[in-house]
Amino acid sequence: IRNISVNTENDQMIVQEGALEPLMRLLSSPEQRVQEQVAGCLRNLSVSASNKQRIASLGGIPPLIALLSSPHEEIQAQVAMVLQNLSKNVDNRYRMVEEGCLPPLIALLWSFNEDVQEHAAGTLANLSVNADNAEKIVEEGGMPLLIGLLRSPNERVQE
């Protein structure tokens, strides 16, 4: 399904056929490869505005936040991309912070993996559009780490 979900024309069909709920359950799989594939599929599906809300309403945010603490960088990067997409929805910005996404996202700023850094920082940027969230990011210690990323040789991380 991950490969099929790359084509945005397939997004609606995947959702209409009922794939979101099983995908949410599979986020909790003990298998690393399953988690990675599901997160990649959700990354693709979460580009759609309607899917951003659906994923959140089906309870997808808490298991995604839990996977930010995965020891596997590829899973961390995929999940950070999903959350970055979801955080473009105003309602999701509140929900994600209330569900506890800030500490693990801020922790990922320490990663040596530039994809992880880029998407964790991108998610925090989207969340910080809300003034209360911006204040919480600072309170959680995110500011020095974000400033540190400005020194990255990778321009995508600097953004």
Side-chain angles (χ1 to χ4, degrees):
I1 293 179
R2 179 182 181 175
N3 292 338
I4 295 170
S5 69
V6 171
N7 184 338
T8 55
E9 294 173 10
N10 295 329
D11 287 0
Q12 293 306 319
M13 185 184 317
I14 291 169
V15 172
Q16 288 172 354
E17 293 295 325
L20 279 181
E21 289 183 34
L23 287 169
M24 296 303 147
R25 285 193 301 275
L26 288 171
L27 285 171
S28 300
S29 170
E31 298 296 325
Q32 170 192 346
R33 190 76 177 131
V34 171
Q35 292 174 349
E36 183 181 331
Q37 291 298 316
V38 170
C41 182
L42 290 173
R43 178 202 65 215
N44 297 336
L45 294 175
S46 65
V47 172
S48 159
S50 61
N51 288 342
K52 286 174 179 46
Q53 190 166 352
R54 282 187 186 113
I55 291 168
S57 67
L58 289 171
I61 291 174
L64 287 165
I65 291 171
L67 284 176
L68 289 173
S69 299
S70 169
H72 307 287
E73 290 179 338
E74 184 58 33
I75 293 172
Q76 293 171 351
Q78 293 294 328
V79 170
M81 288 184 228
V82 177
L83 292 173
Q84 185 174 4
N85 288 340
L86 295 180
S87 67
K88 293 176 183 176
N89 175 288
V90 175
D91 295 331
N92 288 347
R93 289 181 196 142
Y94 295 104
R95 185 178 282 172
M96 289 169 62
V97 170
E98 286 184 13
E99 295 285 351
C101 73
L102 293 181
L105 281 170
I106 291 169
L108 290 180
L109 298 177
W110 287 99
S111 176
F112 292 109
N113 182 302
E114 291 179 338
D115 287 333
V116 172
Q117 290 176 334
E118 174 189 353
H119 297 293
T123 304
L124 291 168
N126 290 346
L127 294 172
S128 71
V129 170
N130 172 280
D132 290 338
N133 289 348
E135 187 175 316
K136 290 175 184 173
I137 292 168
V138 172
E139 289 170 2
E140 293 283 341
M143 184 64 73
L145 296 171
L146 290 166
I147 291 171
L149 292 181
L150 294 174
R151 295 181 193 91
S152 171
N154 185 324
E155 291 181 14
R156 293 185 340 251
V157 173
Q158 293 172 2
E159 289 178 24

